[in-house]
Amino acid sequence: MVGSPEGIANNVYTNGSVHNINGLEEKLDELRHLLGKADGDLLKIVGVGAGAWGCVFAALLQDSYGHFRDKVQIRIWRRPGRAVDRATAEHLFEVINSREDVLRRLIRRCAYLKYVEARLGDRTLYADEILKDGFCLNMIDTPLCPLKVVTNLQEAVWDADIVVNGLPSTETHEVFEEISRYWKERITTPIIISLSKGIEAALEPVPHIITPTRMINKATGVPMENILYLGGPNIASEIYNKEYANARICGADKWRKPLAKFLRQPHFIVWDNRDLITHEVMGGLKNVYALGAGMVAALTNESATSKSVYFAHCTSEMIFITHLLAEEPEKLAGPLLADTYVTLLKGRNAWYGHMLAKGELSLDMGTNIKGKGMIQGVSAVGAFYELLSQSCLSVLHPDVNKPVAPAELCPILKTLYKILITREFSSQAILQTLRDETMHDPRDRIEIAQSHAFYRPSLLGQP
């Protein structure tokens, strides 16, 4: 068997998963065939961006398919030059020495000594350097398999067949504009899978949102049928540690089913869905409302009652907003609801809201947090609120029977904007909003969205 280790019929990978080699090779061959790959022509997959989920996604592919070296190449790009500070180097050394498998691997690769030197302060490590050994700077406590790391963006993407976008939404357009320059002479069209959860807003020529897949489309000219979104109820470190999880890959019919089959693993089930817009928008919205969930949890000493009240109101606002953006949005149920739940429960945005409310972080510290990466929910709060505050999008207010901007019917979103963006309120304001005696039953907001012709195609830049 090509690339199979000597003496064993099944391959055992770094994260402990065991896969049948024959089944994996069949899936790989099917995708290669669909992409028109000849014998000896590598299927080239590259991740762009090295946050926690981007690194785990690349590591899952490497664990599953990386041993078929004559058929596939899996690499990840990250910017060079990011130094690892002394405290992180010390913690990394502790992690290494607590894991016998990792320790033996580094010794075998003659890579252990540099971590000793960094622990002693005699050497500076760099994020791209440690990623080659399987350590993601945003997820030090979860060692991954070794990865092939490229720091030159042109080298990484110029002939890639599949590009996985692991960048924050705030960086996606800029990086893919640069990538487009390297693709001018391409004959074949790449497939792009976006993992990015966030949105940006534009007010000209008409107010509209820009999702990461549309940023990529605009920057590169790659048609939307070749750009997909993958998301689901998952925490990156738990997925790599084989916690059972599922996800959906969303987009046009052409590629989503073959890719769902290729990405599926025994502990990571990938379904496919046509509704790209709702899933991608919900990916941004859940980060928005996770910030408030963290605040509520911190301010009420983890009160289950308060958190459930918040959950009811925030999900009704999410449903309301998606009805503005999609004519027949996927219902907030199943994986979509589960994705919201897990993000409110344990995601980095919930953590950030919790730390703000506790006073252990301040807004002045920014949104790129050591050990966590980019807190994308903050920019998404600004984008959604500023967009939905435009008077040209007015909807009928049920109480006053007058047109108002949609944001006026989303009190949690409005409060988060005043806490995080304009800084008019402290975190305590989120509780005051929840306890407002004039607050409507969340069902009323959902019924408004479902019973009116709310859909505004202009919000997606469509005529």
Side-chain angles (χ1 to χ4, degrees):
M1 181 63 62
V2 176
S4 60
E6 294 179 9
I8 52 177
N10 286 332
N11 205 11
V12 182
Y13 301 101
T14 307
N15 65 344
S17 58
V18 181
H19 296 305
N20 179 276
I21 289 177
N22 291 331
L24 287 169
E25 190 165 22
E26 286 172 8
K27 291 199 295 183
L28 176 58
D29 287 342
E30 282 182 32
L31 188 60
R32 284 174 49 83
H33 176 74
L34 287 171
L35 286 163
K37 289 291 177 182
D39 289 345
D41 187 10
L42 289 175
L43 171 63
K44 296 184 178 180
I45 303 172
V46 64
V48 174
W53 185 211
C55 287
V56 164
F57 195 84
L60 290 175
L61 291 175
Q62 179 65 31
D63 277 339
S64 293
Y65 298 106
H67 55 291
F68 299 112
R69 294 184 183 90
D70 62 340
K71 294 188 176 186
V72 65
Q73 177 191 73
I74 299 157
R75 302 191 294 174
I76 187 168
W77 170 83
R78 73 154 294 139
R79 295 180 179 89
R82 174 78 181 273
V84 178
D85 62 48
R86 176 77 181 273
T88 303
E90 291 176 354
H91 180 56
L92 178 55
F93 188 71
E94 292 175 3
V95 171
I96 290 168
N97 285 295
S98 70
R99 289 276 302 268
E100 183 178 338
D101 58 330
V102 176
L103 181 60
R104 288 185 180 279
R105 186 183 79 203
L106 291 174
I107 292 172
R108 189 168 59 247
R109 290 162 60 93
C110 301
Y112 181 64
L113 182 58
K114 66 185 176 188
Y115 294 99
V116 176
E117 292 172 340
R119 166 65 180 82
L120 297 172
D122 296 336
R123 174 178 180 150
T124 299
L125 296 170
Y126 291 91
D128 57 288
E129 176 186 16
I130 67 172
L131 186 57
K132 292 176 183 177
D133 292 325
F135 302 111
C136 170
L137 191 58
N138 294 342
M139 201 176 58
I140 290 296
D141 289 316
T142 305
L144 309 173
C145 64
L147 294 171
K148 297 179 178 68
V149 181
V150 185
T151 56
N152 181 295
L153 185 58
Q154 182 175 8
E155 178 189 346
V157 304
W158 74 274
D159 61 347
D161 299 295
I162 300 174
V163 176
V164 180
N165 175 36
L167 297 163
S169 61
T170 48
E171 298 177 21
T172 294
H173 189 270
E174 177 186 353
V175 172
F176 275 86
E177 267 198 332
E178 182 180 347
I179 288 173
S180 71
R181 300 202 298 269
Y182 310 137
W183 283 351
K184 285 182 179 177
E185 307 300 322
R186 280 193 72 126
I187 298 172
T188 60
T189 304
I191 297 169
I192 300 170
I193 302 171
S194 181
L195 310 177
S196 183
K197 298 179 172 87
I199 68 129
E200 304 299 310
L203 303 181
E204 300 293 340
V206 294
H208 63 284
I209 66 167
I210 311 170
T211 61
T213 59
R214 290 178 181 271
M215 292 178 204
I216 294 166
N217 167 253
K218 183 179 179 182
T220 63
V222 172
M224 286 302 297
E225 70 172 10
N226 275 48
I227 306 175
L228 303 100
Y229 166 75
L230 185 139
N234 46 64
I235 301 295
S237 60
E238 294 181 355
I239 289 181
Y240 196 73
N241 287 329
K242 291 205 310 172
E243 293 287 340
Y244 178 84
N246 51 58
R248 280 176 172 168
I249 188 163
C250 307
D253 294 345
K254 182 177 180 182
W255 291 114
R256 70 172 196 271
K257 288 185 182 296
L259 286 170
K261 184 176 181 180
F262 178 72
L263 297 172
R264 178 179 286 232
Q265 299 186 15
H267 67 284
F268 183 58
I269 304 304
V270 181
W271 297 306
D272 69 282
N273 191 284
R274 184 178 288 113
D275 189 353
L276 172 66
I277 294 300
T278 303
H279 285 80
E280 201 170 14
V281 169
M282 281 293 193
L285 279 173
K286 69 185 181 67
N287 287 337
V288 165
Y289 289 101
L291 293 162
M295 294 176 192
V296 169
L299 294 169
T300 64
N301 196 28
E302 301 291 341
S303 162
T305 300
S306 295
K307 289 192 287 187
S308 64
V309 169
Y310 178 83
F311 187 77
H313 284 290
C314 80
T315 51
S316 74
E317 289 190 17
M318 293 171 73
I319 292 168
F320 177 84
I321 292 168
T322 56
H323 275 78
L324 286 166
L325 297 166
E327 191 167 12
E328 294 182 9
E330 180 88 9
K331 289 182 179 179
L332 186 57
L336 266 182
L337 182 60
D339 194 8
T340 301
Y341 171 74
V342 75
T343 305
L344 269 59
L345 187 69
K346 196 177 177 180
R348 76 181 75 172
N349 290 276
W351 171 87
Y352 182 79
H354 193 282
M355 298 295 279
L356 283 177
K358 286 287 190 184
E360 296 179 33
L361 287 177
S362 75
L363 291 171
D364 292 332
M365 296 170 70
T367 54
N368 198 341
I369 306 298
K370 174 185 168 183
K372 292 290 182 179
M374 183 65 68
I375 308 299
Q376 296 188 68
V378 176
S379 66
V381 167
F384 276 112
Y385 183 79
E386 288 162 14
L387 181 71
L388 299 178
S389 295
Q390 302 303 306
S391 58
C392 62
L393 301 173
S394 293
V395 296
L396 196 65
H397 195 293
D399 288 343
V400 296
N401 204 29
K402 311 196 295 196
V404 296
E408 294 301 314
L409 295 175
C410 298
I412 294 176
L413 176 63
K414 184 176 181 179
T415 302
L416 288 171
Y417 182 80
K418 292 188 175 183
I419 293 170
L420 298 165
I421 308 300
T422 63
R423 305 189 186 185
E424 298 171 53
F425 298 158
S426 71
S427 299
Q428 284 283 346
I430 198 74
L431 291 186
Q432 295 168 13
T433 298
L434 282 186
R435 295 166 181 173
D436 184 348
E437 292 183 8
T438 65
M439 181 82 88
H440 283 272
D441 185 326
R443 181 180 175 83
D444 295 343
R445 187 178 295 108
I446 296 171
E447 287 182 345
I448 292 169
Q450 293 175 339
S451 61
H452 292 70
F454 259 36
Y455 173 49
R456 306 298 169 84
S458 63
L459 281 171
L460 293 171
Q462 299 172 3

